[in-house]
Amino acid sequence: MRGGVAPTLLAVAHGTRDRAGLAAYRALLDLVRARRPGLKAELAFLDLARPAPAQVLAASRGPVVLVPLLLNTGHHVTVDLPAVRAAAPHRDIRQAAPLGPDPLLAAALAGRLAEAGPALEGRGPGGPDAVVLAVAGSTDPAAGADTEVMAGLLRRRLGRPVVAGYLCANAPSPAEAVRSLRAAGHRRVAVARQLMAPGHFARRAQEAGGCFVSAPLGAHPDVARLVLKRFDEALAEPVRRTAGAATRTA
């Protein structure tokens, strides 16, 4: 709180031209608002869709917390969002951490797998033997480290082998990871899409050859809880000021 004005949660997504993807992001924000009545929560996109973060910030009053709807560290988190803040140095703007890795994200991924699995013909009582965690991929080493942590969290939650499959920039691909697990003796390999919304990457992950493929995370209740968790964490951190701008402590 500053000057009696409640902070705005500005959720910032990568962006997509896919209508179903845009609808999924909007549904997630509706769920966030429903979980915390009275909170002003807005949505913006870094690319491919509007509004851009700068457009929302131009119309905002009072403090703002940027919450990345991004699943690990990467260029958007370390470069693009700080640039957004630097372009509005007069504002009280904080940047939250990306959504992953986090146990709530593992819970959401497990939930989406459970939704997908029962629809499979001949599903055994124990579900899949192993899981491929399909992620977008990044050249940033920190993103790869986040993905490995996330695979470990999901592995512990499911009690089954979980390996990462990358849709770009890294190897193995989800299809290669599925084949490798089957070659190792895992008959039923599912694919968990660690993707926020329908779109290009989600369609590619669908074709990885898993015995079933979970839906993108979208408006899952645990994702909404995680968005609010990141918002609260950012507000709880002390703030330092440089060149007139409010910034989070490292």
Side-chain angles (χ1 to χ4, degrees):
M1 300 286 289
R2 183 183 179 193
V5 180
T8 295
L9 187 162
L10 177 52
V12 184
H14 175 273
T16 177
R17 294 188 181 92
D18 188 292
R19 290 184 180 181
L22 294 173
Y25 284 118
R26 292 172 184 138
L28 174 60
L29 264 290
D30 287 342
L31 194 55
V32 167
R33 296 182 190 105
R35 291 191 65 86
R36 190 166 297 182
L39 172 67
K40 185 177 181 182
E42 303 287 348
L43 177 63
F45 301 95
L46 289 166
D47 196 12
L48 303 176
R50 291 290 181 268
Q55 291 174 289
V56 179
L57 289 171
S60 297
R61 298 293 180 269
V64 177
V65 177
L66 303 179
V67 179
L69 299 185
L70 303 167
L71 297 169
N72 51 41
T73 305
H75 187 85
H76 289 318
V77 171
T78 61
V79 176
D80 291 339
L81 287 177
V84 167
R85 297 170 65 203
H90 61 289
R91 296 189 178 279
D92 183 352
I93 303 174
R94 300 188 183 200
Q95 180 180 328
L99 299 183
D102 195 274
L104 280 172
L105 198 55
L109 288 163
R112 291 297 190 220
L113 281 168
E115 293 166 358
L120 184 70
E121 290 290 334
R123 177 177 183 264
D129 303 325
V131 174
V132 170
L133 183 66
V135 302
S138 171
T139 57
D140 188 328
D146 285 351
T147 296
E148 291 305 316
V149 172
M150 198 63 241
L153 290 171
L154 187 59
R155 187 181 304 121
R156 287 192 288 275
R157 184 167 188 102
L158 298 176
R160 291 169 173 78
V162 177
V163 299
Y166 299 91
L167 291 155
C168 72
N170 308 88
S173 70
E176 290 169 339
V178 168
R179 290 195 294 269
S180 178
L181 284 167
R182 286 186 174 142
H186 299 287
R187 185 174 61 88
R188 294 170 57 79
V189 181
V191 175
R193 285 189 279 194
Q194 187 181 294
L195 302 167
M196 284 300 300
H200 173 68
F201 281 155
R203 288 189 290 272
R204 285 187 56 195
Q206 183 71 45
E207 300 166 355
C211 62
F212 62 85
V213 182
S214 67
L217 291 160
H220 191 281
D222 284 321
V223 178
R225 289 174 61 199
L226 183 52
V227 170
L228 289 168
K229 177 183 176 180
R230 293 292 185 254
F231 174 74
D232 292 338
E233 288 170 346
L235 286 177
E237 288 187 0
V239 175
R240 65 172 183 267
R241 294 182 179 276
T242 57
T247 63
R248 289 176 61 209
T249 56

